[in-house]
Amino acid sequence: MPPATAPDPHDPASIARFADGIGCGVVATVSPAGGPEAALVGLAALEDGTLIFNTPDAARKVDNLRTNDRVAVVVSAGDVSVQAEGSAIIATGAQRERYGSAYERRFPGSRAFADGFLVVAVHPSWVRVYDAGIRPAAVAEADW
């Protein structure tokens, strides 16, 4: 894999291209008891920086998000990582169609619209980009 180019944390489209290009990341949620839960998921992204994943309805992260919509996502390739924090929604109706279609475009044949699966959209409110491929390492943050 060629070295990843660090996206601009102030540019949602740049973050979206990076995340969509990698196609997976770790999503962290908070359990109803306050404990952490993290899972590797497939990720798609919209130009506005929205990150999208699908998940079985029975997954722990679903119960967590129904109690607390706060979420963190980390996407990494080579020496570059993006950390995003924000809120998540379990998409329904027209939102599920929109976000599920974007996920399906990224992952043809996915289970985004299958019975027993949900589509989740993450709306970042803070983004941090870390590039260890340069010396000294570069860190940049942005509030969205």
Side-chain angles (χ1 to χ4, degrees):
M1 173 186 342
T5 301
D8 177 357
H10 298 92
D11 179 8
S14 177
I15 296 298
R17 284 189 300 275
F18 181 83
D20 201 70
I22 304 306
C24 67
V26 175
V27 171
T29 58
V30 181
S31 77
E37 193 268 331
L40 181 66
V41 299
L43 284 175
L46 299 179
E47 285 293 307
D48 67 0
T50 300
L51 304 174
I52 304 161
F53 63 93
N54 79 331
T55 183
D57 186 28
R60 291 186 307 165
K61 69 180 105 14
V62 172
D63 287 339
N64 297 349
L65 291 171
R66 286 184 171 138
T67 303
N68 183 341
D69 70 350
R70 302 299 299 160
V71 64
V73 179
V74 176
V75 180
S76 181
D79 292 328
V80 178
S81 64
V82 170
Q83 177 183 345
E85 296 176 358
S87 60
I89 62 160
I90 298 169
T92 60
Q95 286 181 328
R96 183 173 185 193
E97 183 64 34
R98 176 179 181 224
Y99 296 135
S101 293
Y103 192 84
E104 182 69 24
R105 275 191 300 279
R106 177 63 177 86
F107 299 103
S110 76
R111 298 178 284 186
F113 295 111
D115 289 341
F117 280 79
L118 302 172
V119 176
V120 178
V122 176
H123 302 287
S125 57
W126 176 83
V127 175
R128 178 179 191 258
V129 175
Y130 180 79
D131 185 351
I134 59 175
R135 298 289 180 253
V139 179
E141 299 178 1
D143 291 316
W144 288 7

